Amino acid sequence: MSNYRIQGETGEWEVVIGMEVHAQVTAKSKLFSGASTKFGAEPNSQVSIVDAAMPGMLPVPNKYVIEQGVKTGLGLNAKVNKTSVFARKNYFYADLPQGYQISQFEHPIVGEGVIEIDLPDGSTKNIGVTRMHLEQDAGKSVHDLHPSKSYVDLNRSGCALMEIVSEPDISSPDEATAYLSKLRMILRYLGTCDGNMEEGSMRADVNVSVRKPGAPLGTRAEVKNVNSLKAVSQAIEYEVQRQISLIEDGGEVVQETRLWDPNKLETRSMRSKEDAHDYRYFPDPDLLPLTLEDGLIERLQKELPELPDEKKHRFMNDFGLSLYDSSVLIAEQSRAQFFEDAAKGHDAKLTANWVINELLGARNKDGKALEDSPITAANLGGLVALIQDNTISGKIAKDVFALMYETGKAPDAIVEEKGLKQVTDTGAIEAIIDEVIAENPDNVEKYRSGKDKLFGFFVGQTMKKSQGKANPAIVNEILKKKLDV
Ligand code: ADP
Ligand code: MG
């Protein structure tokens, strides 16, 4: 149960949210045609006769896309239906040359599933997935190229989308963004959608309603065009306030589709909500019911990669990492792999610290991805090894790291070149300490007469004289011996 409550004039309100996410299937060609799906091509250069709805054309299901759908269902812990049916969803729009969208209605390819979301306080919650179906994307109308005309680009027409519908189990803006990020992470791990919200390959429709705690579900409004995690959270907050004020002022929420305006930070009415019967869905007579071949589900199940939650638990159990560190590392598959490669044979916790605090910090500062980092996983592991075997101190390691980042060189080479090896030779350290003691008779006096705090001063002086290279443990030991007489 969420304890997210909004205080209104008439008491507390609870928020109910359900999401419909459209995710473009990662595939070279479209759902029912061989035309390319590549993003950013010349308008209308990737349109087959099927996508342009030429008379007499016949759609042919793309086997790879269907498999991507099955994989997604398995990754969402959902029931995959061996038989599903493509249906026509009829409506008119300039960017929909067929006059209908081929979608799935009564018999989707994927049934009920569940997504575990991670909340900011470290807890988790299960959000039900109602269904996932495959459908065609529409083309794109372009209104801003000509003062009085609109253009249509059909490149996107017929690209495969997965529509993933959640149960109304989401109860706060935080849960909504956690749901979207976890869903996106799973799709990316599976390789079934690139999750790129800026390019529109993942888009969310957010259904929001409010109710008094424990009351039946209120009437929902559906907010479209919410294409970033931040916008999802802002749109929900706006919508909740609008609905509460409306009801408390004696009005009623109407079921409608609203549009999120990211500039004005508000939602506004777009059209009253159509019901399913307005689309006059019926099974597409051009397509047979889709029946998956025997063994396909089992084969794809076996080929599934390790998913984010499994990886997170393995990192915590096998490497002893904290929930926080594990969550940061598994956020991207390539990041998790980088960590595992770097940690091979070394202290995992120490490696995790260096990946998260130093390397990711530096990459974020540069606005760059981890993948093309100048420091390879093997070299970062090498740095950890040098700290572990006391060749360098943690402090010198930061300097070595900076040089590695700058030059791409291996840590051993830098340590060698710059003479940064930690001094563990007790004789050499003792000589430095003798100098420090000789140079500071006053402080020695004060220390010996009870000013214990001055011990740090001597450590500092010794480290400085050794250019940071003296082994701190040995320094402490010898200083104690020499001062405490
Ligand atoms: P439609 O296809 O007409 O949009 P669906 O039955 O597919 O309707 O539901 C759309 C979404 O609305 C689902 O994610 C569902 O969880 C959510 N939903 C249903 N009822 C409510 C409600 N009262 N408040 C918030 N969300 C809701
Ligand atoms: Mg809908």
Side-chain angles (χ1 to χ4, degrees):
M1 250 344 250
S2 162
N3 42 23
Y4 183 81
R5 295 276 193 279
I6 299 289
Q7 187 65 43
E9 280 166 19
T10 59
E12 289 194 320
W13 293 85
E14 211 172 71
V15 177
V16 177
I17 302 158
M19 301 243 249
E20 295 163 274
V21 173
H22 287 92
Q24 187 174 333
V25 177
T26 300
K28 290 208 172 76
S29 48
K30 299 184 180 180
L31 178 53
F32 298 112
S33 88
S36 170
T37 59
K38 206 159 182 239
F39 182 78
E42 194 61 15
N44 296 309
S45 63
Q46 299 175 163
V47 186
S48 78
I49 54 168
V50 174
D51 315 318
M54 291 297 167
M57 61 79 182
L58 279 176
V60 178
N62 178 334
K63 188 172 173 192
Y64 181 74
V65 169
I66 306 292
E67 290 188 4
Q68 291 286 67
V70 173
K71 268 189 251 172
T72 302
L74 296 171
L76 298 179
N77 304 301
K79 182 173 176 289
V80 176
N81 294 320
K82 211 165 169 206
T83 300
S84 60
V85 175
F86 284 108
R88 290 187 182 180
K89 181 180 183 180
N90 299 280
Y91 68 97
F92 171 81
Y93 205 73
D95 61 20
L96 186 78
Q98 282 170 159
Y100 57 85
Q101 176 191 30
I102 306 180
S103 180
Q104 297 188 309
F105 185 53
E106 283 167 313
H107 305 284
I109 187 163
V110 172
E112 284 176 19
V114 61
I115 297 180
E116 185 183 282
I117 62 169
D118 307 288
L119 299 168
D121 67 357
S123 66
T124 59
K125 176 177 172 180
N126 284 343
I127 304 297
V129 169
T130 315
R131 56 186 271 147
M132 188 216 84
H133 64 255
L134 290 168
E135 63 186 25
Q136 296 175 303
D137 206 346
K140 206 167 75 184
S141 300
V142 186
H143 303 294
D144 55 4
L145 280 183
H146 192 279
S148 59
K149 289 179 181 162
S150 285
Y151 293 94
V152 174
D153 175 8
L154 294 180
N155 281 351
R156 211 176 58 187
S157 164
C159 284
L161 295 178
M162 301 182 275
E163 180 172 335
I164 301 148
V165 182
S166 89
E167 289 291 300
D169 291 345
I170 302 165
S171 352
S172 70
D174 275 350
E175 289 185 13
T177 50
Y179 173 81
L180 258 189
S181 17
K182 182 50 96 41
L183 174 58
R184 181 171 63 178
M185 210 188 288
I186 293 171
L187 298 179
R188 284 179 169 166
Y189 267 64
L190 293 166
T192 56
C193 169
D194 66 27
N196 197 334
M197 296 184 86
E198 303 82 65
E199 285 179 9
S201 43
M202 199 171 139
R203 331 195 266 271
D205 299 342
V206 190
N207 294 270
V208 183
S209 66
V210 296
R211 64 174 173 189
K212 285 289 169 70
L217 287 182
T219 305
R220 74 189 145 113
E222 181 182 20
V223 188
K224 291 221 180 244
N225 203 23
V226 242
N227 292 332
S228 73
L229 295 181
K230 193 166 160 213
V232 164
S233 172
Q234 290 172 326
I236 292 169
E237 276 166 16
Y238 179 89
E239 198 48 34
V240 166
Q241 289 301 339
R242 184 188 72 85
Q243 293 184 14
I244 292 176
S245 307
L246 189 62
I247 300 169
E248 290 189 333
D249 289 348
E252 255 179 38
V253 175
V254 287
Q255 189 171 324
E256 62 181 352
T257 301
R258 299 178 69 87
L259 207 63
W260 171 244
D261 183 332
N263 299 314
K264 295 198 179 135
L265 298 182
E266 61 181 32
T267 66
R268 56 172 185 272
S269 184
M270 189 167 116
R271 56 170 188 250
S272 69
K273 178 78 193 168
E274 336 54 12
D275 278 317
H277 61 251
D278 297 326
Y279 291 117
R280 214 168 52 88
Y281 278 98
F282 63 89
D284 192 314
D286 286 342
L287 291 156
L288 289 169
L290 179 75
T291 303
L292 303 178
E293 64 197 26
D294 284 337
L296 177 75
I297 300 175
E298 294 73 12
R299 172 170 70 77
L300 294 174
Q301 177 82 55
K302 277 202 211 101
E303 288 172 13
L304 279 196
E306 182 181 38
L307 290 168
D309 290 326
E310 297 169 59
K311 213 186 266 299
K312 183 177 73 191
H313 292 128
R314 180 166 62 82
F315 280 12
M316 291 170 72
N317 296 333
D318 293 7
F319 296 131
L321 300 186
S322 66
L323 172 66
Y324 175 81
D325 285 357
S326 306
S327 307
V328 172
L329 292 172
I330 60 108
E332 287 170 24
Q333 223 169 7
S334 56
R335 184 185 294 181
Q337 191 57 51
F338 186 100
F339 159 73
E340 287 205 72
D341 291 343
K344 216 160 268 161
H346 312 306
D347 184 310
K349 275 195 197 174
L350 191 55
T351 311
N353 285 343
W354 279 88
V355 172
I356 295 171
N357 300 329
E358 304 302 326
L359 190 53
L360 285 177
R363 294 316 275 165
N364 283 342
K365 212 169 116 206
D366 290 352
K368 296 252 173 70
L370 183 63
E371 282 92 282
D372 39 57
S373 155
I375 301 183
T376 63
N379 280 346
L380 193 71
L383 182 68
V384 172
L386 293 178
I387 304 168
Q388 258 184 282
D389 69 9
N390 281 324
T391 305
I392 54 174
S393 66
K395 193 148 173 281
I396 291 282
K398 295 216 171 166
D399 301 336
V400 176
F401 177 89
L403 287 167
M404 289 167 74
Y405 196 77
E406 205 181 293
T407 64
K409 284 187 189 162
D412 325 55
I414 291 170
V415 168
E416 194 63 40
E417 196 177 296
K418 304 266 168 191
L420 295 173
K421 243 188 201 127
Q422 178 156 259
V423 179
T424 49
D425 170 0
T426 49
I429 295 176
E430 207 170 325
I432 297 175
I433 289 177
D434 287 341
E435 273 178 45
V436 172
I437 288 178
E439 284 164 14
N440 297 282
D442 293 1
N443 280 338
V444 173
E445 187 62 41
K446 280 187 203 153
Y447 175 79
R448 287 189 176 143
S449 55
K451 231 179 153 205
D452 290 352
K453 277 194 186 142
L454 277 171
F455 192 77
F457 163 80
F458 292 105
V459 174
Q461 290 297 307
T462 309
M463 293 307 290
K464 203 167 147 198
K465 256 187 193 299
S466 76
Q467 287 157 322
K469 289 185 287 185
N471 176 301
I474 301 176
V475 169
N476 272 277
E477 195 183 310
I478 300 180
L479 265 176
K480 272 222 172 71
K481 227 167 38 202
K482 300 232 166 205
L483 287 172
D484 296 351
V485 282

